[in-house]
Amino acid sequence: MGAQPVHEQRILRLWSQAKSQQSGRRPLDSFMPQALREDLPVLTRQLAALLSLQSTHPAADGSVRWLLALQDGQTIETVGLPRDGLCVSSQVGCAVACVFCMTGREGLIRQVGSAEIVAQVAFARQHRPVKKVVFMGMGEPAHNLENVMVAIDVLGSVGNIAHKSLVFSTVGDPRFFERLPLGAVKPALALSLHSSRADLRFQLLPRAPKMTPEELVAAAEIYAQQTGYPIQYQWTLIEGVNDSPEEIDGIVRLLKGKYALMNMIPYNTVPDLPYQRPSWERAASMARTLHQLGILTKLRNSAGQDVEGGCGQLRARQLQAARQERPQTVHFLGHKPLDKAVPNMTTAPSNSMPNVTDLSQKITPSMSLKKSQEI
């Protein structure tokens, strides 16, 4: 179609900012090849079809949670945050298996493509302003590094999002610490710590890379010095688990003198899990003590508390409803149901991991405008 980088960048810029491809100061026929102009309506429809709205869940705090369907029928969650923020998902499911997280219970289903990530921003901008994008939704961004970094490059170069307003949230991975400084767009970093004790952190995040809290903080501090951005340490505060005076001492030991901000987020209680949210008074006391000991600490509320909007809960409820609606067929062998007579034929092993499929839509660095999945 004769597309040049300048044409590709224009299409990405207008799409990611939720603007019409016909907008702009220059008439299209003054610089865009005719073949590309003729294909723009089809391309626009393909980009719009990357995801579709399944349900909307507004909350009293000004946030809104959207359940979005991808083209293969899988669903992800995207959250519009107060003060023009947006939380996006980078995977369908998650392999880290944090014990307190609903998303990790189903394992990793597949990666979310770079175009599908940007599409979440384009969708949200049709409903509200977006000036900050945090990769804190479903999935572990470091396990989908190529797609996430391409999306960050698009949002930070043509998507009108300041680099420090792109926040890469991760449990930590050596490959990530090597890759992140090399990008043209360097996002802010949020590191999921959750405990100052290596043994407890490994219990809470059983499939995270086996880096100790000391190793994580040391690697993150290097990135902080490279970028000039403070590291945001994430701490999901769980009653009776990581809210002890010993943890306060451990946080001070790890972060004293570091370019760091501690974000304490009281746990968003999930009915099917055995963990509880501490009282606000307890959480506030812990944050206040840390602040007095020289650790810059912010006590934050998880958005959408009144709609039970913890990460993965909307998708889990949708899947549960689908299972209940699906008719159950029982086949009999003799006088026993088939799944009892021949269990190996009808039941997958309980410890099996879902296969990762290659269905993600991708923005490739050297773009071709012939197919929307390559945008």
Side-chain angles (χ1 to χ4, degrees):
M1 290 184 290
Q4 300 297 319
V6 64
H7 306 131
E8 298 166 352
Q9 293 298 302
R10 182 186 187 279
I11 291 170
L12 285 176
R13 175 171 56 83
L14 294 175
W15 169 52
S16 64
Q17 297 184 34
K19 296 179 179 179
S20 167
Q21 292 294 331
Q22 303 298 324
S23 62
R25 290 172 298 195
R26 296 174 59 187
L28 289 181
D29 57 9
S30 69
F31 70 96
M32 185 173 285
Q34 181 178 351
L36 181 55
R37 294 200 310 273
E38 292 174 349
D39 276 356
L40 268 182
V42 174
L43 180 59
T44 299
R45 289 194 295 270
Q46 290 174 335
L47 292 172
L50 287 173
L51 49 79
S52 59
L53 177 64
Q54 295 296 291
S55 60
T56 302
H57 306 264
D61 61 4
S63 65
V64 57
R65 289 179 179 264
W66 294 294
L67 185 67
L68 304 174
L70 306 175
Q71 287 183 312
D72 63 350
Q74 295 291 348
T75 54
I76 55 174
E77 297 175 15
T78 304
V79 185
L81 302 170
R83 296 180 295 280
D84 301 339
L86 184 72
C87 178
V88 298
S89 293
S90 58
Q91 293 180 310
V92 179
C94 182
V96 176
C98 301
V99 298
F100 51 83
C101 178
M102 181 65 80
T103 299
R105 299 186 73 185
E106 62 179 335
L108 176 62
I109 307 302
R110 76 164 174 91
Q111 307 289 14
V112 175
S114 51
E116 292 169 329
I117 295 171
V118 177
Q120 295 174 64
V121 180
F123 167 84
R125 280 175 158 165
Q126 297 174 34
H127 302 274
R128 56 198 291 155
V130 175
K131 297 179 181 177
K132 181 176 183 177
V133 176
V134 298
F135 289 76
M136 298 181 183
M138 293 170 54
E140 165 52 49
H143 293 172
N144 188 17
L145 195 53
E146 179 184 353
N147 284 319
V148 169
M149 293 307 294
V150 172
I152 283 175
D153 184 70
V154 170
L155 295 171
S157 58
V158 298
N160 199 29
I161 304 290
H163 295 193
K164 65 180 180 181
S165 294
L166 292 161
V167 183
F168 190 112
S169 177
T170 178
V171 298
D173 189 300
R175 296 166 296 179
F176 161 77
F177 286 115
E178 294 171 2
R179 171 71 176 82
L180 200 61
L182 304 180
V185 177
K186 295 177 176 58
L189 174 60
L191 190 60
S192 297
L193 196 56
H194 305 310
S195 179
S196 62
R197 293 169 38 200
D199 60 336
L200 178 57
R201 189 173 187 273
F202 292 156
Q203 291 177 40
L204 294 174
L205 286 66
R207 293 180 183 165
K210 300 305 181 185
M211 297 178 71
T212 66
E214 291 78 9
E215 291 170 335
L216 288 167
V217 171
E221 184 67 11
I222 294 173
Y223 186 70
Q225 299 304 320
Q226 290 172 331
T227 60
Y229 307 151
I231 304 301
Q232 303 174 37
Y233 290 93
Q234 309 293 95
W235 193 284
T236 299
L237 200 56
I238 306 172
E239 184 179 43
V241 176
N242 60 356
D243 60 349
S244 66
E246 290 75 20
E247 288 285 25
I248 293 177
D249 294 339
I251 292 170
V252 173
R253 172 177 51 81
L254 286 171
L255 301 186
K256 187 76 170 182
K258 300 297 193 295
Y259 195 25
L261 166 66
M262 171 59 74
N263 284 323
M264 289 209 146
I265 307 170
Y267 178 60
N268 195 347
T269 301
V270 177
D272 296 335
L273 298 180
Y275 305 102
Q276 296 298 319
R277 180 185 180 89
S279 69
W280 187 257
E281 292 74 18
R282 171 63 188 144
S285 174
M286 191 169 178
R288 184 166 51 250
T289 300
L290 284 169
H291 205 75
Q292 291 169 348
L293 293 172
I295 306 300
L296 180 59
T297 304
K298 291 187 177 181
L299 182 59
R300 302 185 181 275
N301 228 334
S302 179
Q305 289 288 309
D306 53 325
V307 294
E308 294 184 342
C311 183
Q313 284 184 262
L314 296 182
R315 173 179 163 83
R317 289 204 298 269
Q318 180 224 26
L319 293 176
Q320 181 64 28
R323 293 188 192 103
Q324 292 174 349
E325 293 174 1
R326 188 180 302 127
Q328 300 295 314
T329 302
V330 179
H331 300 282
F332 284 86
L333 180 65
H335 297 292
K336 294 183 179 180
L338 185 59
D339 62 345
K340 296 185 182 299
V342 196
N344 290 336
M345 292 180 61
T346 59
T347 305
S350 61
N351 62 348
S352 63
M353 280 288 291
N355 291 327
V356 178
T357 60
D358 189 22
L359 298 173
S360 58
Q361 303 296 311
K362 182 181 292 186
I363 305 172
T364 58
S366 55
M367 291 169 37
S368 166
L369 295 179
K370 294 180 180 179
K371 297 181 180 179
S372 66
Q373 61 263 34
E374 296 176 348
I375 295 178

